[in-house]
Amino acid sequence: MKPNWRSITGSRILDLLTLFVVFAFLFPYLFMVSSAFKSRLETFAYPPVFLQFTPTLEHFDNIFSDMNILFYMKNSTIIAVCSTLLTILIAIPATYSFARFRFRNKEGIAYGFLFLQMVPGISIVFALFFIARALDLFDTHIFLIFVYLLWNVPYAIWMMRGFVEGIPVELEESAMVDGASRFKAFRLITLPLMAGGVAATAILIFIGVWNEFSLAFFLTSTNARTMPTTIAFFMTHSGIKWGPMFATATIGTLPVVVFALLVRRYFISALTFGAVKG
Amino acid sequence: MSRPLSDPVKDAPKIAPMTVDRKFQRRRPQWLAPALLIMPAFVVVFAIAAYSAFSLFQLSTVDLTFGEPFRNAEAVGLENYQWLLTNEHSTFGAALRVTAIYLLGTLIPELLLGFAIALLLNRKMRGNSLFTAVLIIPIVLMPSMVGLIGRLYFHYDGLVNYFFELLTGIRHNWYGKDLALLAVILVDVWEWTPFFILILLAGLQTLPVEPFEAARVDGASRWQSFSLITLPLMLPLILTTLILRFMDVLRLFDVIFVMFAGGPGTSTTTLPLYVYRTTLVQRDVGRGSAASIMLIIIIVTLTVILIKVRERIKFEA
């Protein structure tokens, strides 16, 4: 059979197009990372400098020594880790309940959680500001950790419910036939099987908290300030300090990108609250 | 309380040797276990929500300058809402208009572009898993940093103008009143088109093969099998994706705040930015809170309507 040259060149063109499109989406990120290693002059050069620059580490030096970026990273880590762990701890029993029991108004309650998740942070942040002031919790880690639960717990329940429902209930039943209590059956059978899903959920919640801006920005000032809100420091009266900003952005986004690539398999269901399996 | 179809706690002991413990367990009401398990989540989430909702509503009924203590607040009833909706100096209507443009300006191109690229990626090709991995990156970047790099790239001497000049010979002033909203929209399209690509690609890959084979046997053209099979089968998923994005776009704050903070003028003041500007820039806590409550009502109502629409379409399909 003669090869169909028209369709072969056609698919070649489509391959190239795909490559181009994907690169176009990656490019702004690559340019951001490369700019962290450019001098101020090179950042503002027109036409832009793409590859022909001498890499410098001065901006990284600057943010670690002068801007004390480690302090903000520490805050971000404390808040993100604590809020994530607390979320998972609270959400696992609730998830199990939604996935394994039948009770009245189950879907109604589940949707109730989902609707609370829809509330925009910016719409209640100033009310929270007054609450924090009244409780003397403004600019503390603990307040942010708890506030984030409002969004994280419903998200975790919706995400993990799918994972639990995917585990056959017969496994637990047979353990109970063998004399295990319901809790023991859950701990020994279901929990290990849902561990992957829990880990993925935890990572995605961590990413969400790590990146969160509006609540962190208006509910902290100096003590509990997080990484994303440090952008205010780069906007000075003498203009924006682009070099340190790019260095911070590079460091701040690195863990998230690595984590996201780690849980890539779960990413689609994560984006859709478990509605779509990837 | 309805009885479960198969409740292992009830059914299992008939076979297993009964223990004292389990006898006791059987006498407990059936709703107790699920209720206890949900309780911590319910208490925490609804406590935070109720407390904030209560203070938000309270703030929306007073006249208070931001920065002053709450005891200086003066009760004004529902005047703040009335002012926002009817006063000639209120820019709430303008914010609604900007929000609508922003919604359509992001969702339509993201859907079309995302679907087209998903179709492009839905072929046997080397490196496909690498491509989908790369597409995750814009979605997970820190939005505040995305806003800042957006600001630099849309600078007059920035990256975007460089490519514009290369292609069309002209540079634009993206920081101006006319184009700022478009700049913000383009940043969102870059950030979130991959969302559509990844979800729709996952959907395309799980489509059944049989209808397409049958169509080919019947001599259907590529366009026919796309418009008559792919599209209807994908419709529920397209709607789900749109709803999820719809909620997110409507509450987006950080990127626009960092890029242009709602300006110049009110050209990028979407509803979330309007809340911020009223509360913190004009320091009017009452009107800001009233606007917040209307934003919440708008999001929840429209989303519920969209979910209902999607359910109806699902049944018809």
Side-chain angles (χ1 to χ4, degrees), chain A residues 15 25 28 46 117 211 245, chain B residues 123 140 148 153 165 190 251:
Chain A
D15 284 356
F25 277 103
Y46 191 90
Q117 213 272 347
N211 284 347
M245 191 286 282
Chain B
R123 300 172 303 126
V140 297
L148 260 196
Y153 292 176
E165 198 175 20
W190 168 65
R251 63 183 171 189

Side-chain angles (χ1 to χ4, degrees), chain A residues 23-95:
Chain A
F23 185 73
F25 277 103
L26 187 61
F27 182 72
Y29 176 68
L30 291 180
F31 194 73
M32 177 196 98
V33 174
S34 75
S35 298
F37 299 93
K38 287 177 195 165
S39 72
R40 189 177 165 79
L41 233 61
E42 287 161 337
T43 309
F44 272 100
Y46 191 90
V49 177
F50 293 107
L51 291 170
Q52 329 73 327
F53 62 92
T54 355
T56 163
L57 288 175
E58 60 171 309
H59 304 309
F60 289 94
D61 196 38
N62 183 312
I63 59 170
F64 280 109
S65 54
D66 297 351
M67 302 191 59
N68 204 4
I69 206 73
L70 278 176
F71 173 72
Y72 304 102
M73 276 186 103
K74 194 191 77 191
N75 282 341
S76 274
T77 311
I78 292 173
I79 292 169
V81 168
C82 292
S83 196
T84 306
L85 289 180
L86 207 54
T87 302
I88 297 294
L89 204 66
I90 294 173
I92 283 184
T95 307

Side-chain angles (χ1 to χ4, degrees), chain B residues 65-311:
Chain B
T65 307
F66 193 90
E68 283 181 28
F70 187 70
R71 60 175 181 276
N72 293 4
E74 196 185 316
V76 294
L78 297 178
E79 249 171 53
N80 290 324
Y81 295 90
Q82 202 191 358
W83 189 92
L84 287 177
L85 293 173
T86 58
N87 195 288
E88 54 180 321
H89 299 295
S90 158
T91 49
F92 189 74
L96 275 178
R97 204 175 54 91
V98 173
T99 310
I101 297 172
Y102 184 63
L103 263 174
L104 296 176
T106 50
L107 293 186
I108 295 172
E110 283 170 22
L111 171 64
L112 296 179
L113 210 57
F115 199 19
I117 298 171
L119 288 169
L120 197 60
L121 279 168
N122 189 30
R123 300 172 303 126
K124 280 205 188 86
M125 181 183 170
R126 257 189 305 171
N128 248 350
S129 66
L130 181 72
F131 291 164
T132 51
V134 163
L135 288 173
I136 291 177
I137 291 175
I139 300 176
V140 297
L141 288 185
M142 217 174 254
S144 59
M145 300 297 172
V146 169
L148 260 196
I149 63 174
R151 194 153 142 172
L152 180 68
Y153 292 176
F154 280 95
H155 190 272
Y156 191 74
D157 292 326
L159 205 54
V160 176
N161 264 348
Y162 170 73
F163 287 112
F164 252 93
E165 198 175 20
L166 221 57
L167 294 171
T168 63
I170 343 167
R171 284 198 251 172
H172 295 286
N173 176 20
W174 298 96
Y175 284 25
K177 227 175 168 145
D178 304 324
L179 291 177
L181 185 59
L182 182 60
V184 175
I185 287 174
L186 287 174
V187 170
D188 200 79
V189 170
W190 168 65
E191 222 186 331
W192 291 99
T193 300
F195 179 83
F196 282 90
I197 301 174
L198 291 173
I199 295 178
L200 297 179
L201 179 63
L204 285 172
Q205 284 168 344
T206 51
L207 286 184
V209 198
E210 296 82 12
F212 293 97
E213 279 173 356
R216 214 183 44 212
V217 172
D218 291 346
S221 71
R222 273 185 153 183
W223 168 248
Q224 278 172 326
S225 77
F226 172 76
S227 63
L228 297 173
I229 307 172
T230 313
L231 217 46
L233 283 176
M234 290 291 285
L235 197 58
L237 187 58
I238 288 175
L239 286 173
T240 307
T241 320
L242 274 176
I243 293 173
L244 289 164
R245 274 305 290 148
F246 173 85
M247 298 186 333
D248 261 3
V249 171
L250 213 47
R251 63 183 171 189
L252 181 103
F253 174 75
D254 31 26
V255 175
I256 303 180
F257 173 72
V258 175
M259 261 181 95
F260 298 125
T266 57
S267 54
T268 56
T269 304
T270 56
L271 284 175
L273 269 296
Y274 183 83
V275 168
Y276 153 76
R277 290 178 75 149
T278 312
T279 315
L280 265 195
V281 181
Q282 294 160 17
R283 309 183 83 78
D284 191 331
V285 178
R287 286 176 194 158
S289 305
S292 298
I293 288 190
M294 288 199 273
L295 171 61
I296 295 174
I297 293 173
I298 290 172
I299 289 193
V300 173
T301 320
L302 291 179
T303 310
V304 170
I305 293 174
L306 286 175
I307 291 176
K308 288 263 148 69
V309 168
R310 189 198 53 178
E311 265 163 19

Side-chain angles (χ1 to χ4, degrees), chain A residues 11 14-19 21-22 24-29 31-32 35 43-48 50 90-91 93-94 96-98 101-104 109 111-124 126-131 134-135 146-147 149-151 153-154 157 169 173 176-182 207 210-214 217-218 227-231 234-235 240 242 245-246 248-249 252-253 256-257 260-261 264 267-268 271-273 275-278, chain B residues 1-9 12 15-17 22 25 30 33-35 37-38 40-42 44-46 48-49 51-52 55-56 59 64 66 68 70 113 117 120-121 123 125 129-145 148-149 151-153 155-159 161-163 165 171 189-190 192-195 197-199 202 206 237 240 244 247 251 253-254 257-258 272 275-276 279-280 285 292 295-296 299-300 303-304 307 310-311:
Chain A
S11 80
L14 287 180
D15 284 356
L16 282 176
L17 188 62
T18 315
L19 208 63
V21 165
V22 173
F25 277 103
L26 187 61
F27 182 72
Y29 176 68
F31 194 73
M32 177 196 98
S35 298
T43 309
F44 272 100
Y46 191 90
F50 293 107
I90 294 173
Y96 185 78
S97 188
F98 280 118
F101 288 94
R102 294 171 129 243
F103 49 91
R104 209 159 31 157
I109 298 171
Y111 270 97
F113 277 109
L114 191 64
F115 283 132
L116 289 180
Q117 213 272 347
M118 279 161 38
V119 170
I122 189 69
S123 69
I124 60 168
F126 299 112
L128 287 168
F129 174 83
F130 279 92
I131 293 175
L135 299 176
F146 269 92
V147 162
L149 293 180
L150 175 57
W151 288 273
V153 170
I157 291 175
V169 68
E173 283 173 353
M176 287 193 287
V177 168
D178 293 339
S181 69
R182 182 152 203 154
I207 292 176
W210 181 268
N211 284 347
E212 204 282 332
F213 177 79
S214 34
F217 190 70
F218 295 115
M227 279 280 275
T229 64
T230 54
I231 48 133
F234 305 116
M235 304 191 209
I240 298 177
W242 289 108
M245 191 286 282
F246 278 120
T248 309
T253 52
V256 166
V257 169
L261 295 181
R264 180 159 114 211
F267 206 72
I268 308 292
L271 290 176
T272 58
F273 291 77
V276 182
K277 298 279 170 285
Chain B
M1 206 58 43
S2 62
R3 195 188 176 282
L5 284 180
S6 123
D7 182 340
V9 180
I15 317 158
R22 205 172 263 123
Q25 209 170 18
Q30 276 194 14
L37 291 171
I38 290 181
F42 190 85
V44 167
V45 169
F46 284 81
I48 298 172
Y51 197 177
S52 345
S55 12
L56 183 60
L59 290 172
L64 178 66
F66 193 90
E68 283 181 28
F70 187 70
L113 210 57
I117 298 171
L120 197 60
L121 279 168
R123 300 172 303 126
M125 181 183 170
S129 66
L130 181 72
F131 291 164
T132 51
V134 163
L135 288 173
I136 291 177
I137 291 175
I139 300 176
V140 297
L141 288 185
M142 217 174 254
S144 59
M145 300 297 172
L148 260 196
I149 63 174
R151 194 153 142 172
L152 180 68
Y153 292 176
H155 190 272
Y156 191 74
D157 292 326
L159 205 54
N161 264 348
Y162 170 73
F163 287 112
E165 198 175 20
R171 284 198 251 172
V189 170
W190 168 65
W192 291 99
T193 300
F195 179 83
I197 301 174
L198 291 173
I199 295 178
T206 51
L237 187 58
T240 307
L244 289 164
M247 298 186 333
R251 63 183 171 189
F253 174 75
D254 31 26
F257 173 72
V258 175
V275 168
Y276 153 76
T279 315
L280 265 195
V285 178
S292 298
L295 171 61
I296 295 174
I299 289 193
V300 173
T303 310
V304 170
I307 291 176
R310 189 198 53 178
E311 265 163 19

